[in-house]
Amino acid sequence: MNKGVQIELSPLDGEHVRAKITWREQDAGGGTLQIELTVRKGRDKPKSDKLLKADARALAVRFARAFADTVEG
């Protein structure tokens, strides 16, 4: 995997999706942060995979920034 964020979605049931978010800072020799979480699609207005990936990407960015702040502090 190249530097950046990769998101894989896999259905769990009719209402939930598992989002596997892999964050990598360097092309080679760097660490990788991987987060797996369950996301509720919602019955009334289910989100498309594109919107679910956008939500997961935003969450990964927030998590990485918060993690970086704790490491730097």
Side-chain angles (χ1 to χ4, degrees), residues 6-59:
Q6 177 183 359
I7 301 169
E8 299 173 37
L9 298 176
S10 56
L12 293 176
D13 58 33
E15 295 182 23
H16 298 87
V17 172
R18 166 83 27 100
K20 181 178 170 185
I21 306 164
T22 305
W23 181 283
R24 190 173 187 138
E25 283 296 320
Q26 299 175 3
D27 290 328
T32 300
L33 173 65
Q34 191 170 78
I35 304 166
E36 289 191 29
L37 53 103
T38 302
V39 180
R40 186 176 176 145
K41 287 181 172 181
R43 287 185 227 173
D44 298 334
K45 292 185 176 182
K47 291 184 177 182
S48 67
D49 281 358
K50 184 176 180 179
L51 287 175
L52 287 171
K53 284 184 180 183
D55 289 352
R57 182 179 301 273
L59 178 62

